[in-house]
Structure formats: structure tokens, C-alpha cells
């Protein structure tokens, strides 16, 4: 084979890889709107208000006969959704690896979640149980879809590109979140001009996130390629595959050590994302427009933050950059505990701090883990990763809800999350990542 032919083939492969990468970015663009508009901004305060309207004289609702303080209902639903995801994730990871048919699985999860999100339009009055059910379905669906989505990263990006590709994916997500939040802010603040009541404006914002999610999922489905392997019949043994994955990780204990560290600090991140608006509205007494503007600030800064931390990782390594972000997370939460009620300026300052570290800490964690995955085991290892990412992030919301249930104080609930970042820092600092990459059988990048 001539040199020109080899170069042409290499060029074609690079062009196809770039095409897949661009398509891959668009799933972040599609589903991140759910995370921002629904989970972070609107649903927490709105579902809490719906639950309070259904509460008894003591402020409790009684789903399935269990007394629950109305202010804790949203946090408990988030925790329950993660438990559902834990059950399904091993099946998705095994099916993706053993059949190679990732796109149908991605489509199934994406459109189930998008449909549930769109259904939130019908959440009104005292239908808190409907809201809780749709939240559980949507949140579990996005978590399981991310197993398949993340498993593409090692297949579409060589080791030296993964930090950048992963960071760009997060940047796409935050850019989409910013764009939709601007539209949400216009609709919410001027709802009278549009002839709709405030509650209807909120429900339109919730439903539109589901429509956005479903529409833009068509882009990655059209560009990503399936890599088919063995029979689909083998994929039914998802839990058996998960057990085998855990046993296999014993041969790469440093990969397991990283997952433990990530489980800790990411649990804190996910809880802050889902509970920040509840804290702002219920404890600090801030209006919905202020909360939307603050989260919009997070989205705008997170785009630059994800890209900027990606550049820092090229200079200082992903591990050191992530450790620095955990220090910033801890300081931000500690400051949030002392933030006085009715102080939007202070809340905006905290939002700015979160925005600068949010995207980067998540993107770099994803790319760092991709180096610790043995070749050929991408989806099953990313299934375990996703269980640490969203799938194991049930403890934070549960602790948040229980703390509020016991104390009636969201300040006590928010400060309890500091422990996740502090412990995650200690555990990550102890992981020798270069040795971990070698143990996984992968080439060690110059900076990691």
C-alpha cells in the first residue's frame, strides 16, 4: 500500500472521527437543558409549592402513607430516581458492550426521558405525586442514557484528544442551557404580556425542555456509528456483567480507587445542582426571576470554565486541576451557609464561583476516567462510572432531605454537603493516576 493511500485513509478516518465528535457534542446540547431548566431551576421550587399545597396542617404530605415534610419531597424524589437508575444501568452497559448497538439504547432512554419531561406540563394544583413520578422517570432516563453516551468517548477520541473533546461536550451543554434559560427568563418575567399566568409559564418552560431534548437527540443519532459485536441475547445478563466488571476491577484497583473518590465529590456536585434553587427560594427568599438569572450566570461562566479548565489540565494535569476545583467547591458551600436571606448579590457571587468550576470538574473527571478503562470494556466500565456519576448520587439528596426533615433548616442541609467535597479531595489525592493508566493497559499521556 502506497504512502499516499495510507495518508488518504488516515485523513478519511480523521474526518469521520471529527464528524462523530461533532454529533456526540449534540447530546450534551440536547439533554443538558433538562438538567438546567428542569432539575436546577424550575422543578424544585415548583414541585415543592405543589407539595405544600397538598400538605396537611402540619406541613406533611403522605405518599404511600409515609409522612414526608413537603419541603423534603423533591429531594427524596431525586434520590428515588437514582435508585431506579441503579437497577437499569447494568443492563444498559452490558447491552451496549455485548451488542455494540448503542444508538437504539440511547434513543430509548432519551425519548422516554424527553416524554416524561414534556408531561410535566400537566403538573398543577396539588398533583405532587404526578410530579414526583415524572421526575423519577425523567431523571433515571437521563442517567441511564449517559452510560451509553459516555461510552462513546474512548471510541471517538484518541487519548491525547479526550480532555478537549470531553470539555467541548460540557461546553455545548452549558451553551444550550444558557440559550434556553434566556428564553425561559423572557417568558417568566413577561408572562402577563403573553397572556399566561405564572404557573402556566413555569409549566411551559418545563415542557419545552422535553421537546428540546427530543428534537436535538436526532443529531447524535444520525452521526454516531454502532460498532456491533456479539449477539443481543447475551445482553440480558446485565447484573451478571456488572458483577464481572467489579471482579475485573480488582485487577485495576487504582481505577476502583478513582471511582470511590469520584463517587464522593460528585455526589456533592449533583446535589448542589438539584437543590440550589430550592435553597435560594425557600431559605433565602429569592424570587424565581433571580434564580433563573443566577443559573443563567452559572451556564454562561460554565462554558468558559469547562474550556478554561481543559487548558489548565494540559499544563498542570487533570488530577491537579480537579483537586483545585474541589477546594473552590468547599469554599463556595461554606460561604453559602452564611449568606443572609434576601441578598441576591451574594447569591450571584456564589453562582459565579460555581459556574467557573462546575463544567471543568465534571468534564475532566470524565476524560481522566477514560484513560483508566481497559481497552474493549468501555461501556461496562462507563456503566460503573455513571453509577458513580448520577447512579450513586442518591446519598446527597437523601442527606439533604433528611437534614431538612429533622431540622427544618435548609442551611443545615446545604452545609452537610461540604463533607462530600472534603472526603473526595482526600481520596483523589491518594490515587497515583499515571500508575493507574499503565495498570489499565493504556498509554500514559504527557500530562494527566
Amino acid at each position: 500500500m502506497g504512502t499516499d493511500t495510507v495518508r488518504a485513509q488516515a485523513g478519511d478516518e480523521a474526518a469521520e472521527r471529527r464528524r462523530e465528535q461533532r454529533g456526540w457534542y449534540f447530546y450534551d446540547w440536547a439533554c443538558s437543558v433538562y438538567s438546567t431548566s428542569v432539575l436546577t431551576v424550575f422543578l424544585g421550587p415548583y414541585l415543592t409549592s405543589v407539595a405544600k399545597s397538598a400538605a396537611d396542617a402540619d406541613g406533611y404530605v403522605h405518599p404511600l402513607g409515609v409522612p414526608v415534610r413537603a419541603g423534603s419531597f423533591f429531594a427524596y424524589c431525586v434520590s428515588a430516581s437514582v435508585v431506579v437508575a441503579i437497577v437499569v444501568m447494568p443492563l444498559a452497559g452490558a447491552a451496549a458492550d455485548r451488542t455494540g448497538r448503542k444508538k437504539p439504547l440511547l434513543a430509548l432512554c432519551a425519548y422516554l426521558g424527553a416524554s416524561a419531561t414534556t408531561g410535566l406540563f400537566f403538573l398543577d394544583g396539588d398533583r405532587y405525586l404526578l410530579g414526583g413520578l415524572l421526575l423519577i422517570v425523567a431523571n433515571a432516563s437521563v442517567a441511564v442514557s449517559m452510560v451509553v453516551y459516555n461510552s462513546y468517548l474512548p471510541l471517538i477520541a484518541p487519548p491525547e484528544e479526550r480532555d478537549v473533546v470531553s470539555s467541548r461536550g460540557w461546553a455545548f451543554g452549558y451553551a444550550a442551557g444558557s440559550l434556553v434559560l434566556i428564553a425561559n427568563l423572557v417568558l417568566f418575567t413577561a408572562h402577563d404580556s403573553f397572556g399566561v399566568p405564572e404557573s402556566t409559564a413555569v409549566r411551559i418552560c418545563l415542557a419545552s425542555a422535553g421537546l428540546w431534548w427530543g428534537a436535538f437527540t436526532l443529531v447524535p443519532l444520525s452521526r454516531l456509528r454502532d460498532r456491533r459485536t456479539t449477539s443481543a441475547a447475551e445482553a440480558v445478563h446485565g447484573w451478571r456483567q456488572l458483577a464481572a466488571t467489579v471482579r475485573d476491577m480488582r485487577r485495576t484497583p487504582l481505577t476502583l480507587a478513582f471511582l470511590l473518590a469520584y463517587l464522593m465529590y460528585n455526589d456533592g456536585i449533583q446535589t448542589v445542582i438539584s437543590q440550589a434553587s430550592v435553597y435560594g427560594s425557600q431559605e433565602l427568599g429569592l424570587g424565581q426571576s433571580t434564580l433563573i438569572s443566577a443559573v443563567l450566570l452559572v451556564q454562561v461562566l460554565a462554558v468558559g470554565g469547562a474550556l478554561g479548565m481543559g487548558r489548565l489540565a494540559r499544563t498542570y494535569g487533570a488530577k491537579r486541576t480537579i483537586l483545585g476545583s474541589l477546594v473552590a467547591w468547599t469554599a463556595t458551600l461554606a460561604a453559602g451557609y452564611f449568606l443572609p436571606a434576601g441578598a441576591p448579590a451574594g447569591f450571584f457571587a456564589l453562582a459565579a464561583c460555581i459556574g467557573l468550576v462546575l463544567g471543568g470538574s465534571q468534564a475532566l473527571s470524565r476524560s481522566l476516567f477514560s484513560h483508566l478503562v481497559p481497552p474493549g470494556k468501555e461501556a461496562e466500565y462507563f456503566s460503573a462510572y455513571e453509577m458513580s456519576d448520577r447512579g450513586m448520587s442518591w446519598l446527597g439528596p437523601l442527606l439533604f432531605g433528611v437534614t431538612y426533615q429533622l431540622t427544618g433548616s435548609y442551611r443545615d442541609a446545604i452545609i452537610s454537603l461540604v463533607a462530600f467535597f472534603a472526603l473526595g479531595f482526600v481520596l483523589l489525592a491518594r490515587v497515583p493516576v499515571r500508575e493507574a493508566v499503565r495498570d489499565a493497559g493504556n498509554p500514559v499521556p504527557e500530562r494527566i
Side-chain angles (χ1 to χ4, degrees):
M1 185 178 295
T3 302
D4 290 342
T5 302
V6 172
R7 288 177 178 173
Q9 289 181 344
D12 290 343
E13 290 175 359
E16 177 61 27
R17 187 172 70 248
R18 287 192 295 271
R19 184 177 186 275
E20 282 197 273
Q21 288 173 358
R22 288 191 291 268
W24 187 80
Y25 299 148
F26 267 91
Y27 192 67
D28 258 319
W29 175 274
C31 72
S32 291
V33 169
Y34 163 81
S35 298
T36 54
S37 290
V38 177
L39 195 63
T40 304
V41 178
F42 287 106
L43 189 55
Y46 186 65
L47 181 55
T48 300
S49 68
V50 171
K52 287 184 175 181
S53 70
D56 59 23
D58 296 321
Y60 285 82
V61 290
H62 300 268
L64 304 178
V66 179
V68 172
R69 194 187 289 265
S72 296
F73 181 72
F74 173 70
Y76 288 154
C77 287
V78 173
S79 187
S81 72
V82 175
V83 174
V84 173
I86 289 172
V87 175
V88 181
M89 279 180 181
L91 301 175
D97 272 341
R98 291 182 177 275
T99 70
R101 292 177 58 81
K102 300 177 188 291
K103 288 205 295 184
L105 289 169
L106 183 63
L108 175 63
C109 296
Y111 286 109
L112 181 60
S115 298
T117 304
T118 305
L120 288 170
F121 180 80
F122 301 102
L123 174 61
D124 62 355
D126 59 358
R127 298 177 181 177
Y128 75 98
L129 286 176
L130 173 65
L133 177 62
L134 293 176
L135 166 59
I136 290 170
V137 172
N139 216 39
S141 295
V142 74
V144 176
S145 74
M146 293 301 288
V147 172
V148 184
Y149 171 67
N150 284 338
S151 72
Y152 271 104
L153 181 57
L155 304 178
I156 64 173
E160 66 274 9
E161 293 183 5
R162 288 180 199 165
D163 284 348
V164 173
V165 171
S166 183
S167 295
R168 284 177 181 170
W170 284 108
F172 262 63
Y174 287 118
S178 300
L179 180 63
V180 174
L181 276 178
I182 291 173
N184 292 159
L185 182 61
V186 171
L187 174 61
F188 183 82
T189 56
H191 60 85
D192 288 334
S193 300
F194 291 103
V196 296
E198 182 178 296
S199 62
T200 302
V202 171
R203 292 188 291 118
I204 290 173
C205 291
L206 291 171
S208 64
L211 297 175
W212 178 285
W213 185 0
F216 284 102
T217 295
L218 294 173
V219 178
L221 292 180
S222 68
R223 293 201 171 191
L224 293 171
R225 291 186 295 116
D226 275 340
R227 280 95 168 158
R228 299 190 179 186
T229 53
T230 59
S231 170
E234 298 181 23
V236 300
H237 303 296
W239 280 100
R240 188 179 302 171
Q241 180 63 62
L242 177 62
T245 300
V246 173
R247 288 194 300 270
D248 188 70
M249 281 187 177
R250 294 176 184 174
R251 294 185 292 179
T252 55
L254 295 179
T255 300
L256 203 55
F258 172 81
L259 274 179
L260 179 60
Y262 183 66
L263 183 153
M264 288 294 107
Y265 68 77
N266 188 66
D267 205 341
I269 291 174
Q270 295 298 328
T271 307
V272 171
I273 290 172
S274 65
Q275 304 302 321
S277 288
V278 175
Y279 181 73
S281 64
Q282 302 297 317
E283 184 67 35
L284 303 182
L286 302 177
Q288 190 72 64
S289 297
T290 300
L291 298 177
I292 297 172
S293 300
V295 176
L296 179 60
L297 177 62
V298 170
Q299 302 305 304
V300 172
L301 292 178
V303 175
L307 299 176
M309 286 183 65
R311 295 190 184 96
L312 287 175
R314 289 201 295 269
T315 302
Y316 300 103
K319 177 184 173 180
R320 289 183 179 178
T321 307
I322 294 169
L323 289 173
S325 75
L326 298 183
V327 173
W329 274 107
T330 302
T332 300
L333 281 184
Y337 175 81
F338 296 102
L339 194 65
F347 194 72
F348 282 128
L350 293 181
C353 294
I354 290 174
L356 290 173
V357 296
L358 175 60
S361 57
Q362 293 179 316
L364 292 178
S365 296
R366 177 170 63 184
S367 61
L368 178 55
F369 181 72
S370 72
H371 294 285
L372 309 182
V373 177
K377 297 180 179 292
E378 292 85 5
E380 65 180 83
Y381 269 60
F382 267 106
S383 177
Y385 173 85
E386 192 64 26
M387 291 181 75
S388 297
D389 184 351
R390 298 172 193 262
M392 289 304 291
S393 298
W394 57 271
L395 184 58
L398 181 61
L399 178 61
F400 190 94
V402 168
T403 302
Y404 179 77
Q405 175 112 357
L406 295 176
T407 67
S409 170
Y410 283 109
R411 291 185 188 274
D412 293 338
I414 203 72
I415 199 63
S416 69
L417 303 180
V418 168
F420 290 100
F421 295 104
L423 185 55
F425 180 97
V426 172
L427 292 174
L428 178 59
R430 293 170 60 87
V431 178
V433 291
R434 301 184 73 84
E435 182 181 344
V437 175
R438 284 193 294 268
D439 287 352
N442 294 317
V444 181
E446 182 179 352
R447 294 283 184 182
I448 190 167

